[in-house]
Coordinates of all heavy atoms in Angstrom, one line a residue:
A1 N 103.0 77.4 110.7 CA 101.9 76.7 109.9 C 101.7 77.4 108.6 O 101.5 76.8 107.5 CB 100.6 76.7 110.7
R2 N 101.7 78.7 108.6 CA 101.5 79.5 107.3 C 102.6 79.2 106.3 O 102.4 79.1 105.1 CB 101.3 81.0 107.6 CG 100.7 81.7 106.4 CD 99.2 81.2 106.2 NE 98.9 81.3 104.9 CZ 98.1 80.4 104.2 NH1 97.7 79.3 104.8 NH2 97.9 80.5 102.9
L3 N 103.9 79.2 106.8 CA 105.0 79.0 106.0 C 104.9 77.6 105.4 O 105.2 77.4 104.2 CB 106.3 79.1 106.8 CG 107.6 78.9 106.0 CD1 107.7 79.8 104.8 CD2 108.8 79.0 106.9
L4 N 104.5 76.6 106.1 CA 104.4 75.2 105.6 C 103.3 75.2 104.5 O 103.5 74.7 103.4 CB 104.0 74.3 106.7 CG 103.6 72.9 106.3 CD1 104.8 72.2 105.7 CD2 103.1 72.1 107.5
A5 N 102.2 75.9 104.7 CA 101.2 75.9 103.7 C 101.6 76.7 102.5 O 101.3 76.3 101.4 CB 99.9 76.6 104.3
M6 N 102.3 77.8 102.7 CA 102.8 78.6 101.5 C 103.7 77.8 100.6 O 103.8 78.0 99.4 CB 103.4 79.9 102.0 CG 102.5 80.9 102.4 SD 101.5 81.5 101.0 CE 100.4 82.5 101.8
K7 N 104.5 76.9 101.2 CA 105.4 76.2 100.4 C 104.8 75.2 99.4 O 105.4 74.7 98.5 CB 106.4 75.4 101.3 CG 107.4 76.3 102.0 CD 108.4 75.5 102.9 CE 109.4 76.4 103.5 NZ 110.3 75.7 104.3
T8 N 103.5 74.9 99.7 CA 102.8 74.0 98.8 C 101.7 74.7 98.0 O 100.9 74.0 97.3 CB 102.1 72.9 99.6 OG1 101.2 73.4 100.6 CG2 103.2 72.0 100.3
T9 N 101.5 76.0 98.1 CA 100.5 76.7 97.3 C 101.1 77.2 96.0 O 102.3 77.4 95.8 CB 99.9 77.9 98.1 OG1 101.0 78.8 98.4 CG2 99.2 77.5 99.3
T10 N 100.2 77.3 95.0 CA 100.6 77.8 93.7 C 100.5 79.3 93.6 O 100.0 79.9 94.5 CB 99.6 77.2 92.6 OG1 98.3 77.7 92.8 CG2 99.6 75.7 92.7
R11 N 101.0 79.8 92.5 CA 100.9 81.3 92.3 C 99.5 81.8 92.4 O 99.1 82.8 93.0 CB 101.6 81.7 91.0 CG 101.6 83.2 90.8 CD 102.3 83.5 89.4 NE 102.4 84.9 89.2 CZ 101.4 85.7 88.8 NH1 100.2 85.1 88.5 NH2 101.6 87.0 88.6
D12 N 98.6 81.0 91.7 CA 97.2 81.4 91.7 C 96.6 81.4 93.1 O 95.8 82.2 93.4 CB 96.4 80.5 90.7 CG 96.7 80.8 89.3 OD1 97.2 81.8 88.9 OD2 96.3 79.9 88.5
E13 N 97.0 80.4 93.9 CA 96.5 80.3 95.2 C 97.0 81.5 96.1 O 96.2 82.0 96.9 CB 96.8 79.0 95.9 CG 96.1 77.8 95.2 CD 96.6 76.4 95.6 OE1 97.9 76.3 95.8 OE2 95.9 75.5 95.6
R14 N 98.2 81.9 95.8 CA 98.7 83.0 96.6 C 98.0 84.3 96.1 O 97.8 85.2 97.0 CB 100.3 83.1 96.3 CG 101.0 82.0 97.0 CD 102.5 82.0 96.7 NE 103.1 80.9 97.3 CZ 104.4 80.5 97.1 NH1 105.1 81.2 96.3 NH2 104.9 79.5 97.7
L15 N 97.7 84.4 94.9 CA 96.9 85.6 94.4 C 95.5 85.6 95.0 O 95.0 86.7 95.4 CB 96.9 85.6 92.9 CG 98.2 85.9 92.2 CD1 98.0 85.7 90.7 CD2 98.7 87.3 92.5
R16 N 95.0 84.4 95.2 CA 93.7 84.3 95.9 C 93.8 84.9 97.3 O 92.9 85.6 97.8 CB 93.2 82.9 95.9 CG 91.9 82.7 96.6 CD 91.6 81.2 97.1 NE 92.7 80.9 98.0 CZ 93.5 79.8 97.9 NH1 93.4 79.0 97.0 NH2 94.4 79.6 98.8
I17 N 94.8 84.6 98.0 CA 95.0 85.1 99.4 C 95.1 86.6 99.3 O 94.5 87.3 100.2 CB 96.3 84.5 100.0 CG1 96.1 83.0 100.2 CG2 96.7 85.2 101.3 CD1 97.4 82.2 100.6
Q18 N 95.8 87.2 98.4 CA 95.8 88.6 98.3 C 94.4 89.2 98.0 O 94.1 90.3 98.6 CB 96.8 89.1 97.1 CG 98.2 88.9 97.4 CD 99.1 89.3 96.2 OE1 98.7 89.3 95.1 NE2 100.3 89.6 96.5
R19 N 93.7 88.6 97.2 CA 92.3 89.1 97.0 C 91.5 89.0 98.2 O 90.6 89.9 98.5 CB 91.6 88.3 95.8 CG 92.2 88.6 94.4 CD 91.3 88.0 93.3 NE 91.2 86.5 93.4 CZ 92.1 85.6 92.9 NH1 93.1 86.0 92.3 NH2 91.9 84.3 93.1
Q20 N 91.6 87.9 99.0 CA 90.9 87.8 100.3 C 91.3 88.9 101.2 O 90.5 89.5 101.9 CB 91.2 86.4 100.9 CG 90.5 85.3 100.1 CD 90.9 83.9 100.6 OE1 91.9 83.8 101.4 NE2 90.2 82.9 100.1
H21 N 92.6 89.2 101.3 CA 93.1 90.3 102.2 C 92.4 91.6 101.7 O 92.0 92.4 102.6 CB 94.6 90.4 102.1 CG 95.3 89.4 102.9 ND1 96.7 89.3 103.0 CD2 94.8 88.4 103.7 CE1 97.0 88.3 103.8 NE2 95.9 87.7 104.2
K22 N 92.4 91.8 100.4 CA 91.8 93.0 99.9 C 90.3 93.1 100.3 O 89.8 94.2 100.7 CB 91.9 93.1 98.4 CG 91.4 94.5 97.8 CD 91.7 94.6 96.4 CE 91.2 95.9 95.9 NZ 91.4 96.1 94.4
A23 N 89.6 92.0 100.2 CA 88.2 92.0 100.6 C 88.0 92.3 102.1 O 87.1 93.1 102.4 CB 87.5 90.7 100.3
I24 N 88.8 91.8 102.9 CA 88.8 92.1 104.3 C 89.1 93.6 104.6 O 88.3 94.3 105.3 CB 89.8 91.2 105.1 CG1 89.4 89.7 105.0 CG2 89.8 91.6 106.6 CD1 90.5 88.8 105.4
Y25 N 90.1 94.1 104.0 CA 90.5 95.5 104.1 C 89.4 96.4 103.7 O 89.0 97.4 104.3 CB 91.8 95.8 103.4 CG 92.1 97.2 103.3 CD1 92.7 97.9 104.4 CD2 91.8 98.0 102.2 CE1 92.9 99.2 104.4 CE2 92.0 99.4 102.2 CZ 92.6 100.0 103.3 OH 92.8 101.3 103.3
T26 N 88.9 96.1 102.5 CA 87.8 97.0 101.9 C 86.6 97.0 102.8 O 86.1 98.1 103.1 CB 87.4 96.5 100.5 OG1 88.6 96.5 99.7 CG2 86.3 97.3 99.9
A27 N 86.2 95.9 103.3 CA 85.0 95.9 104.2 C 85.3 96.7 105.5 O 84.4 97.4 106.0 CB 84.7 94.4 104.6

């Protein structure tokens, strides 16, 4: 499911995912 979703996301959307991971990790 994630691979399917990643194939349709933009670079900005992928960067958003990284920021979300960072927020989770930081917390």
Side-chain angles (χ1 to χ4, degrees):
R2 196 67 210 140
L3 179 57
L4 174 64
M6 280 296 172
K7 288 182 177 181
T8 60
T9 57
T10 66
R11 181 179 185 281
D12 287 343
E13 290 167 331
R14 291 174 181 172
L15 290 172
R16 180 201 60 234
I17 291 167
Q18 288 179 335
R19 287 190 303 272
Q20 290 172 349
H21 283 180
K22 185 176 180 180
I24 296 164
Y25 170 80
T26 299

